[in-house]
């Protein structure tokens, strides 16, 4: 983390877990144990049907609610899809874009790019995901792969909007496996992502953008990962489903790092 230049963000990704009633219960529990005073930005990205319950419960808090996906079109004949305008109207502040689980369902870099642009246009904070497979890591092409995902995902994002984008590095082999990247491995890639942003934009913008790590981050390993200079937060799956664990990760992000 580097709190001087950029925001620390702890974001949960619930994936396809919890019902609206369970959401209400979780949020009410979370409110009672949330650290008081100043803390990092906190987001919870929940299933679409849970957004109203989450927004209602967290209305008087600083926890931002987000979606896990969006459609890049403003409206129209896209059965089952949800536009960024609908998310904003429902009270969302964030939207996860290009998670590897969605890419595995066929989402392309061009789709990711269109969604990032639509999210920014609507005033949402896109949490744009990137990450390599185990085969790609073993083949030694992690840096090139990630650089390509970042370049394609950010195509057409203007100089004045880039700082609103949050990037999440999630190595596919670390997601839901309990096999976390080491702090050094995660730092190396996050540093590379910042270098790509520097080349595409400027040093100032690269210094200001928040880059998160995701992949089996939990209350035990969070502090060490967040102590790395280029890891500005976490995108947390499993551990974001349990209020106590999620709060411990927020507390780890609030600790002094030096
Ligand atoms: P886990 O924390 O469950 O490994 O999931 C990470 C993730 O995919 C967050 O988007």
């Amino acid at each position: 983390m580097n709190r001087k230049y950029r925001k620390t963000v702890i974001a949960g990704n619930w994936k396809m877990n919890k019902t609206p009633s369970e959401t209400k219960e979780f949020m009410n529990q979370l409110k009672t144990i949330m650290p008081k005073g100043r803390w990092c930005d906190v987001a919870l990205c929940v299933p679409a049907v849970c957004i109203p319950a989450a927004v209602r419960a967290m209305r008087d808090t600083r926890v931002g609610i987000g979606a896990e996906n969006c459609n890049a079109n403003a409206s129209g004949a896209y059965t089952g899809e949800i536009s960024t305008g609908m998310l904003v109207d429902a009270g969302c502040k964030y939207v996860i874009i290009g998670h590897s689980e969605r890419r595995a369902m066929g989402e392309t870099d061009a789709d990711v790019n269109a969604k990032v642009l639509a999210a920014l246009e609507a005033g949402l904070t896109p949490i744009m995901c990137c990450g390599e497979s185990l085969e790609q890591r073993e083949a030694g092409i992690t840096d090139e792969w990630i650089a390509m995902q970042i370049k394609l995902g950010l195509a057409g994002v203007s100089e004045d909007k880039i700082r609103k984008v949050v990037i999440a590095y999630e190595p596919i082999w670390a997601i839901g496996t309990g096999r976390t990247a080491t702090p050094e491995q995660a730092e190396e890639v996050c540093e590379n992502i910042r270098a790509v942003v520097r080349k595409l934009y400027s040093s100032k913008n690269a210094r200001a953008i928040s880059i998160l790590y995701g992949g089996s981050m939990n209350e035990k390993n969070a502090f060490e990962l967040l102590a790395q200079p280029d890891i500005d937060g976490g995108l947390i799956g499993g551990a974001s489903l349990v209020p106590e664990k999620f709060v411990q990760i927020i507390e780890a992000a609030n600790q002094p790092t030096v």
Side-chain angles (χ1 to χ4, degrees), residues 137-154:
R137 173 159 285 266
E138 284 171 350
I141 58 164
T142 299
D143 284 357
E144 290 87 333
W145 178 257
I146 302 285
M148 185 200 68
Q149 285 186 321
I150 299 295
K151 277 182 203 153
L152 296 175
L154 294 179

Side-chain angles (χ1 to χ4, degrees), residues 24-227:
K24 189 177 169 194
E25 199 182 321
F26 175 100
M27 297 297 169
N28 287 334
Q29 276 180 16
L30 182 66
K31 275 202 280 193
T32 64
I33 58 170
M34 200 70 185
K36 302 278 177 280
R38 268 196 68 79
W39 28 273
C40 59
D41 285 12
V42 178
L44 275 163
C45 299
V46 304
V49 293
C50 300
I51 291 170
V55 168
R56 210 174 303 124
M58 301 316 261
R59 190 171 285 155
D60 50 351
T61 73
R62 285 178 47 206
V63 176
I65 301 304
E68 301 174 8
N69 182 33
C70 64
N71 188 287
N73 296 288
S75 62
Y78 305 99
T79 303
E81 293 292 287
I82 300 175
S83 74
T84 53
M86 292 172 186
L87 295 178
V88 170
D89 192 66
C92 284
K93 298 272 187 284
Y94 297 84
V95 59
I96 297 173
I97 296 173
H99 192 282
S100 59
E101 287 155 14
R102 294 210 58 85
R103 290 180 189 258
M105 291 178 221
E107 196 163 298
T108 65
D109 285 307
D111 296 329
V112 171
N113 179 233
K115 291 179 185 195
V116 167
L117 295 172
L120 288 170
E121 190 59 38
L124 290 166
T125 297
I127 303 179
M128 187 182 88
C129 303
C130 61
E132 82 288 3
S133 66
L134 189 58
E135 294 71 38
Q136 289 166 331
R137 173 159 285 266
E138 284 171 350
I141 58 164
T142 299
D143 284 357
E144 290 87 333
W145 178 257
I146 302 285
M148 185 200 68
Q149 285 186 321
I150 299 295
K151 277 182 203 153
L152 296 175
L154 294 179
V157 173
S158 61
E159 187 87 27
D160 60 316
K161 292 256 175 77
I162 184 61
R163 291 177 189 218
K164 302 213 169 88
V165 178
V166 171
I167 296 176
Y169 166 54
E170 299 207 311
I172 296 169
W173 47 272
I175 296 175
T177 57
R179 183 180 165 194
T180 322
T182 64
E184 295 71 29
Q185 282 173 325
E187 167 61 19
E188 194 185 342
V189 178
C190 291
E191 196 184 344
N192 175 43
I193 292 170
R194 203 175 302 284
V196 174
V197 175
R198 189 174 301 123
K199 259 192 222 144
L200 292 172
Y201 295 89
S202 65
S203 300
K204 256 190 164 169
N205 284 320
R207 201 168 64 180
I209 198 167
S210 299
I211 303 175
L212 319 184
Y213 167 78
S216 300
M217 192 191 252
N218 59 36
E219 67 288 3
K220 297 190 185 77
N221 58 31
F223 181 78
E224 240 196 312
L225 286 157
L226 296 171

